[in-house]
Amino acid sequence: MAKQIPVTSRASQIEYAIRDVVVPANALEAEGHEIIKLNIGDPLAYPGLPTPDHMISAYQKALLDQKNGYSPAYGIPELRKAISNNEQNKLNGGWSCDPNDVYVCHGVTEALQIIFATFLDPGDEVLAPGPHYPPYMAYPQLFGGKTVEYRLDPDNNWKIDFDDLKAKMNDKVKLLVLINPNNPTGNVITQQEIEEIVELASRWENCTIISDEIYDRLNFNGNHISTASVSSNVPVITLNGVSKVYYAPGWRIGYMALHDPINKLSNIKDGLERLLRSRLCASTPAQYGYLAGLNDDDAWMNDYLSTLKERNDVCVSLINDIEGLSVEKPQGAFYMFIKLTENHWNNRDKDFVLDLLHSKHVLTVHGSGFSNQYGKNHFRVVFLPSEKILIEAFNRIDDLLNERRN
Ligand SMILES: Cc1ncc(COP(=O)(O)O)c(C=O)c1O
């Protein structure tokens, strides 16, 4: 074999558990097995939760109207305005969002890369919840930064452990991340907790809060509140987009919106804008699709939410009847972060996921993929599939637990 050209350690160490488990699943599918896939947070991967027609028509119309050129680097002005209206008029927690502080990206995922590139110098820290959505661990290191996890309490609905968070704050922390509602735990942060977080962050003058609110309206008790609405002094960057609440993750449109109440982010804004201009723009026609979602009637969302609530209830009651599992009931998003309670699986959540895949053809994600320290002994399922499929999946999970116990 020819001598291999070296890969950087930066790239070779990247892991994304949610898609990494797909590799063995694909191999099984290639052998002709049918896999129940509960691994990926994509509503379109399951029947019954389609992207609404009026959004698709707007996207199509943009294509036919030749809106196929580059758009302005920060997003089409109509969309920036619609996003700012949406942030201002949120049922809970509207805040004075200016369209000029809204930047449309190729999904929240691109926004994160741009934010980390702008904020982090070598040695800087990002405080992220443990467990967390994996890019919060993977990306900061690309820029020499380091992610430190603060503990979410597995026995108290995955609420933030404030003692742990306080102990980990320091001058190197440039970004404090909230994921609300949380992936993978489904926890929704209360207003009182947000107030406490903002107060804590205000004691550290280098600290900006990232508030990832991509599941904001997938909130089963209607109590989600935006972080920006609570902060009168700490800068907050709100992240959201078309992927989850508007059921169109493949369009790859998201945004960051800056709330800078005491004007600390002028240099950061300049850096963000330079990076945004250098990567040209987000998809132009897809922005028109999202615009229709934001501007048109959104009564359809209630039906979708009711479906998710039902599936949440179904999963929790199934889990409660299975020996060897327990779960804190999610209050938002569409994930269950399930604990493996038996000694047999202690520190073996990845083994469990692989065993379940190979023996029962159900694909889930190991909890340690969301945090080695705080996610182990758990696995994540999405509750987007129909009740029938969920029941079948949990029957197979129950079977596996019984077989391995005996
Ligand atoms: C917390 C969180 N943020 C961001 C994303 C990805 O967002 P986008 O599709 O806009 O890149 C996900 C996807 O699962 C997520 O769970």
Side-chain angles (χ1 to χ4, degrees):
M1 197 171 33
K3 182 170 180 328
Q4 294 302 294
I5 295 172
V7 58
T8 60
S9 59
R10 168 182 333 123
S12 64
Q13 282 167 23
I14 293 280
E15 281 183 31
Y16 189 71
I18 301 161
R19 286 188 186 242
D20 291 349
V21 287
V22 173
V23 178
N26 286 346
L28 284 168
E29 271 182 327
E31 289 166 19
H33 300 289
E34 215 173 293
I35 308 292
I36 300 182
K37 291 184 185 146
L38 304 181
N39 64 311
I40 193 154
D42 177 356
L44 276 293
Y46 312 93
L49 297 165
T51 313
D53 284 345
H54 66 282
M55 292 173 59
I56 295 177
S57 302
Y59 194 148
Q60 263 174 335
K61 183 167 181 319
L63 293 170
L64 293 170
D65 288 349
Q66 292 298 344
K67 296 202 163 130
N68 300 315
Y70 292 124
S71 55
Y74 313 151
I76 56 172
E78 305 93 301
L79 181 59
R80 298 177 80 198
K81 179 98 185 67
I83 290 168
S84 80
N85 277 343
N86 190 50
E87 290 293 343
Q88 285 169 18
N89 297 312
K90 279 189 163 166
L91 216 51
N92 294 330
W95 57 281
S96 56
C97 177
D98 186 318
N100 292 319
D101 293 330
V102 172
Y103 300 103
V104 180
C105 295
H106 192 72
V108 163
T109 308
E110 189 199 38
L112 282 177
Q113 295 178 35
I114 291 172
I115 291 167
F116 292 139
T118 307
F119 275 85
L120 300 180
D121 271 324
D124 287 340
E125 292 182 5
V126 175
L127 271 189
H132 55 261
Y133 176 59
Y136 286 101
M137 179 62 79
Y139 291 161
Q141 58 173 310
L142 299 180
F143 307 100
K146 177 173 140 197
T147 301
V148 176
E149 296 171 82
Y150 60 87
R151 177 175 176 270
L152 304 180
D153 186 347
D155 301 317
N156 186 15
N157 240 315
W158 297 102
K159 282 177 176 296
I160 292 169
D161 176 339
F162 274 95
D163 290 337
D164 192 60
L165 177 59
K166 277 179 199 153
K168 288 171 179 167
M169 288 296 290
N170 65 62
D171 262 332
K172 287 184 285 182
V173 175
K174 291 286 184 64
L175 293 162
L176 167 57
V177 177
L178 305 179
I179 305 176
N180 184 27
N182 184 277
N183 172 11
T185 70
N187 174 261
V188 174
I189 309 175
T190 64
Q191 172 151 4
Q192 199 191 344
E193 288 167 322
I194 296 178
E195 283 165 7
E196 215 173 316
I197 291 158
V198 169
E199 196 283 314
L200 175 61
S202 71
R203 293 188 227 157
W204 301 92
E205 61 178 11
N206 290 333
C207 182
T208 294
I209 296 176
I210 291 184
S211 191
D212 183 335
E213 301 180 10
I214 194 148
Y215 301 98
D216 62 344
R217 292 183 68 180
L218 300 177
N219 167 212
F220 306 133
N221 305 321
N223 60 343
H224 177 271
I225 179 142
S226 63
T227 307
S229 70
V230 174
S231 176
S232 57
N233 48 6
V234 179
V236 178
I237 302 180
T238 302
L239 303 176
N240 207 332
V242 81
S243 289
K244 311 293 179 174
V245 169
Y246 289 89
Y247 299 84
W251 289 6
R252 310 307 305 124
I253 295 292
Y255 65 86
M256 58 175 120
L258 272 51
H259 173 58
D260 186 17
I262 59 167
N263 262 321
K264 294 176 83 173
L265 296 183
S266 310
N267 294 338
I268 287 288
K269 242 184 111 133
D270 180 58
L272 289 171
E273 291 182 352
R274 285 171 188 274
L275 281 167
L276 285 158
R277 292 195 297 269
S278 74
R279 69 37 151 153
L280 309 189
C281 65
S283 160
T284 306
Q287 292 186 60
Y288 286 93
Y290 185 28
L291 181 63
L294 286 168
N295 282 348
D296 294 353
D297 183 23
D298 59 12
W300 60 270
M301 253 183 219
N302 298 330
D303 292 342
Y304 281 54
L305 190 62
S306 308
T307 304
L308 291 181
K309 272 189 194 172
E310 280 162 24
R311 291 179 187 172
N312 184 12
D313 292 344
V314 165
C315 283
V316 170
S317 86
L318 289 167
I319 292 165
N320 286 341
D321 283 344
I322 296 178
E323 191 185 338
L325 301 183
S326 74
V327 72
E328 299 287 315
K329 187 169 186 178
Q331 301 147 2
F334 36 58
Y335 308 100
M336 297 262 146
F337 206 53
I338 305 167
K339 184 169 184 185
L340 291 160
T341 57
E342 292 172 312
N343 271 345
H344 178 71
W345 297 110
N346 195 24
N347 288 329
R348 295 182 56 221
D349 50 283
K350 189 162 188 189
D351 292 346
F352 170 81
V353 163
L354 291 175
D355 197 358
L356 182 66
L357 172 64
H358 288 284
S359 315
K360 303 290 175 192
H361 300 158
V362 177
L363 180 59
T364 60
V365 188
H366 44 293
S368 47
F370 298 90
S371 165
N372 262 329
Q373 191 177 0
Y374 301 116
K376 66 181 179 191
N377 298 330
H378 291 77
F379 65 105
R380 191 193 78 169
V381 305
V382 297
F383 55 84
L384 291 165
S386 69
E387 190 172 327
K388 186 164 168 248
I389 293 182
L390 291 170
I391 291 172
E392 174 61 27
F394 279 105
N395 280 340
R396 294 191 199 180
I397 290 171
D398 193 19
D399 286 348
L400 181 82
L401 290 166
N402 287 329
E403 286 166 24
R404 296 298 175 261
R405 188 178 305 123
N406 298 323

